[in-house]
Amino acid sequence: RRVHGHEKVVICCCFSRDGKFLISGCQDKVCRKWDIRKRREVLAYSEHEGIIVSVSFSPDGELVCSAAADKTLKIWNSTSGVTARTLRGHKGIVLSCTFSQDGRSIVSNDESVMKVWNVETGDCINSVEVFSIQSTKRPPTKKLAWTLSTYAPGQFGFYVVAVCNDRVVHIFHPETGQEVLSFCSKAPVYCLSSGSNSKLAFGDSYGNIYVVILR
């Protein structure tokens, strides 16, 4: 099915858990909510001052988190479009945002720092600076940068996953920032998806797709 409404390049999109709605984010700085069955726009959110880079539905579908080039994340009501929280603290373009499985926290990252946020208060629970990780895979001349972050799948959903341009996938404790597991790909990772059970998928710049089962 095809729907039209954005005037510029669509950067990101995310389904609600029940599959009835879709949130899209665009170069026009607007997030739009779509009714999938009726194939029509039901809401437009235009509170960002930069290109929308990432969007995420809360598990209950009541909230949306949007991340943008204005260095902020905004948590807003998916029915009314009213902003509940604006999360500030990133130093650069926010590249990703994801709600936790219980909807109580959000993980996000720019190139230099990954952050975990409390949804209710808007407080930053923890930050992991990219320079704090030990990398043996990065060429000496290459700047180290976070590319994406999300939550781990299934029973491991308490933990956060962050990928870096040094080819390493890191899994962290969200409150302490302690690394609990890491593994490597053949090239820098630029896509990342967490399943509902135990599988984590990611793809690298060489065209490889990896599926890891956590046990």
Side-chain angles (χ1 to χ4, degrees):
R1 293 182 178 183
R2 178 182 176 184
V3 294
H4 178 78
H6 289 289
E7 297 300 324
K8 294 187 177 182
V9 177
V10 179
I11 305 295
C12 55
C13 60
C14 178
F15 277 106
S16 59
R17 183 167 286 187
D18 61 13
K20 295 180 179 180
F21 298 99
L22 180 81
I23 296 290
S24 57
C26 183
Q27 200 176 40
D28 61 8
K29 307 176 186 177
V30 179
C31 298
R32 299 181 190 274
K33 180 182 178 181
W34 306 89
D35 184 308
I36 299 301
R37 185 177 64 85
K38 296 179 180 179
R39 288 190 286 181
R40 65 180 179 87
E41 180 186 320
V42 294
L43 180 68
Y45 180 81
S46 56
E47 297 300 312
H48 279 288
E49 297 179 1
I51 294 169
I52 313 300
V53 181
S54 180
V55 289
S56 178
F57 257 112
S58 64
D60 61 9
E62 293 184 2
L63 298 173
V64 173
C65 180
S66 49
D70 60 11
K71 305 179 185 179
T72 71
L73 299 102
K74 291 186 182 288
I75 302 171
W76 46 279
N77 186 286
S78 66
T79 302
S80 66
V82 174
T83 303
R85 299 274 185 277
T86 298
L87 310 180
R88 294 183 173 90
H90 278 290
K91 302 173 183 177
I93 296 172
V94 187
L95 301 173
S96 68
C97 63
T98 308
F99 275 95
S100 60
Q101 292 179 15
D102 60 11
R104 295 180 180 178
S105 58
I106 290 169
V107 63
S108 63
N109 71 280
D110 58 35
E111 287 191 345
S112 63
V113 64
M114 178 190 70
K115 290 181 177 288
V116 180
W117 308 86
N118 182 298
V119 171
E120 184 176 358
T121 65
D123 294 334
C124 181
I125 300 170
N126 195 23
S127 297
V128 179
E129 300 279 353
V130 71
F131 64 76
S132 70
I133 64 172
Q134 298 296 320
S135 176
T136 58
K137 304 295 181 181
R138 174 176 55 101
T141 57
K142 189 171 185 178
K143 177 185 175 183
L144 199 61
W146 293 124
T147 56
L148 291 169
S149 58
T150 189
Y151 279 89
Q155 63 180 315
F156 305 99
F158 173 75
Y159 296 97
V160 295
V161 183
V163 293
C164 199
N165 63 350
D166 66 350
R167 303 189 288 120
V168 181
V169 178
H170 305 266
I171 299 181
F172 295 100
H173 189 289
E175 296 174 357
T176 66
Q178 180 180 359
E179 184 177 279
V180 296
L181 181 66
S182 65
F183 37 87
C184 294
S185 60
K186 293 183 178 180
V189 174
Y190 291 103
C191 69
L192 176 67
S193 181
S194 189
S196 59
N197 189 6
S198 60
K199 294 177 181 177
L200 183 70
F202 51 96
D204 67 23
S205 59
Y206 285 178
N208 301 302
I209 297 175
Y210 309 79
V211 178
V212 174
I213 300 176
L214 301 179
R215 293 174 179 161

